Amino acid sequence: MELLHEILLALFALAALLLLLLVLAAHVTANMSTSRGNEEKYFLTSTGEKDPSPSLHDPFSRELSVVIPAYNEELRIPLMLDEAMQYLENRQKKDPSFTYEVIVVNDGSKDQTTEVALQYTREYGPDKVRVMTLVKNRGKGGAVRMGAMICRGKLILMADADGATKFSDIEKAESALRDLSPKPDNMAICCGSRAHLEKASIAQRSVFRTFLMYGFHFLVWFFCVRGIKDTQCGFKLFTREAALKTFSSLHVERWAFDVELLYIAQCFKIPIAEVAVNWTEIEGSKLVPFWSWLQMGRDLIFIRLRYLTGAWKLEPPRKTD
């Protein structure tokens, strides 16, 4: 009995030590640079000239901004842009007062992503399709944040470059935003959701991948976000005010950035809607099943610890360079 007591004490001490080391690791590695380099303060025009970027802090001058993060997407982004531009152009023809911009953020790609995107700038004009090229790869979250902070839209949509979500589903998201009430300071967010497709996808997944998926969902619920069935869908619509409030505090630049974004929104009590979207699996995903899930799991734990220890704070929006 005495031996068992000593073993339990030793296990408790080991667990406490591991927790302390985890907290220290989260705190020490918390510093992240979200500032822009000089080359990242401009858009590239179709002729290769530099056009200074606006700021999310400024009043809106377009009805809609679409932010598309792209890393080595020269093969997949044309299909997405074709669909998006066709929808947006048709909508503008029906309603001339509707104005928009599409911002492609090239996240340090090693292929011809920028050149492919600039073809659309030449076709539709630099006021409608704008291309920003980051000096180095930041990760999807870093690219979305960079794009969001230079938007001109009253509403801001983030959409993946693979075109997995049907673009016209933005109408569902807009309707859900309108239905949210009240909207404190006009802040609201709508998340596209693939939760209705989960049963079918489980049938096609291996047991191991299904285990990883449920493990990730549990960590999201336990550490960060509750009440949202699908935090990772890349189709999210923000009011300009909500985008400024959330992206100003965003730190995570890799795959788990969606979770921190929604965690920030819930901390600020920003209302969030969720709508089912049409979604199709597209080949060429940059997500490596095991290692990406492992990295996201670590980031989820660190998100919570860093806010708890004060290493990260919910920042008021500030206009910087």
Side-chain angles (χ1 to χ4, degrees):
M1 193 67 180
E2 190 174 324
L3 178 61
L4 179 62
H5 181 68
E6 290 180 358
I7 292 174
L8 290 174
L9 283 176
L11 290 174
F12 179 79
L14 180 61
L17 178 62
L18 289 174
L19 179 61
L20 178 61
L21 291 174
L22 189 63
V23 171
L24 286 173
H27 199 82
V28 169
T29 59
N31 291 330
M32 304 177 76
S33 174
T34 57
S35 61
R36 292 184 291 166
N38 287 329
E39 292 297 315
E40 297 169 339
K41 297 177 183 178
Y42 302 91
F43 287 111
L44 286 177
T45 66
S46 57
T47 58
E49 297 176 354
K50 295 178 179 179
D51 186 17
S53 59
S55 171
L56 186 59
H57 292 264
D58 300 331
F60 73 88
S61 58
R62 300 292 181 276
E63 288 298 312
L64 176 68
S65 292
V66 181
V67 178
I68 306 171
Y71 176 66
N72 292 342
E73 293 287 3
E74 64 177 0
L75 297 179
R76 299 198 301 175
I77 200 170
L79 291 174
M80 187 277 173
L81 285 175
D82 287 343
E83 181 189 1
M85 296 308 297
Q86 182 180 10
Y87 171 84
L88 293 168
E89 286 291 290
N90 287 339
R91 183 166 170 176
Q92 191 172 64
K93 287 177 183 176
K94 294 176 182 176
D95 179 10
S97 66
F98 173 74
T99 53
Y100 72 89
E101 65 176 351
V102 173
I103 299 174
V104 177
V105 185
N106 177 9
D107 188 21
S109 299
K110 298 176 182 178
D111 64 359
Q112 302 299 305
T113 296
T114 290
E115 288 71 16
V116 170
L118 284 174
Q119 293 175 13
Y120 291 82
T121 303
R122 285 188 281 271
E123 181 176 354
Y124 295 96
D127 197 51
K128 288 184 175 179
V129 180
R130 323 187 92 189
V131 181
M132 166 177 276
T133 298
L134 303 185
V135 175
K136 63 178 182 178
N137 175 255
R138 289 177 174 265
K140 183 181 177 182
V144 171
R145 182 183 188 277
M146 286 292 193
M149 295 303 291
I150 55 173
C151 282
R152 297 178 291 174
K154 183 178 181 181
L155 295 179
I156 297 168
L157 174 72
M158 57 177 257
D160 289 342
D162 60 4
T165 304
K166 189 175 180 180
F167 194 84
S168 59
D169 280 349
I170 186 177
E171 294 175 11
K172 295 182 183 178
E174 287 177 297
S175 177
L177 276 190
R178 286 193 295 269
D179 291 342
L180 280 175
S181 182
K183 299 186 187 72
D185 298 322
N186 198 41
M187 293 189 294
I189 299 171
C190 181
C191 301
S193 175
R194 303 158 297 179
H196 60 294
L197 304 172
E198 194 168 281
K199 289 183 179 179
S201 64
I202 288 173
Q204 299 173 11
R205 282 195 183 105
S206 66
V207 174
F208 180 63
R209 288 192 66 180
T210 300
F211 172 76
L212 287 177
M213 180 190 73
Y214 279 120
F216 178 76
H217 286 174
F218 172 76
L219 290 177
V220 169
W221 175 85
F222 187 77
F223 286 106
C224 299
V225 177
R226 299 182 180 182
I228 305 296
K229 294 178 181 178
D230 184 3
T231 59
Q232 299 309 109
C233 182
F235 201 78
K236 292 182 175 68
L237 185 66
F238 302 76
T239 62
R240 187 175 186 83
E241 294 80 4
L244 180 59
K245 194 78 168 179
T246 52
F247 281 104
S248 294
S249 289
L250 185 68
H251 301 86
V252 175
E253 294 194 316
R254 296 290 168 180
W255 297 108
F257 84 97
D258 300 81
V259 178
E260 188 195 0
L261 204 60
L262 295 174
Y263 172 78
I264 293 167
Q266 290 190 338
C267 286
F268 283 126
K269 301 189 185 308
I270 298 173
I272 303 172
E274 194 170 11
V275 295
V277 293
N278 293 285
W279 188 86
T280 307
E281 183 80 47
I282 305 293
E283 291 185 4
S285 172
K286 308 300 185 299
L287 194 70
V288 182
F290 178 74
W291 294 111
S292 295
W293 287 95
L294 197 65
Q295 183 186 53
M296 285 193 287
R298 180 205 64 187
D299 286 345
L300 292 180
I301 297 170
F302 277 15
I303 287 169
R304 188 64 170 167
L305 288 177
R306 284 165 176 166
Y307 279 109
L308 281 174
T309 61
W312 287 352
K313 294 180 175 63
L314 296 172
E315 299 287 347
R318 293 176 299 180
K319 188 168 185 176
T320 66
D321 64 352

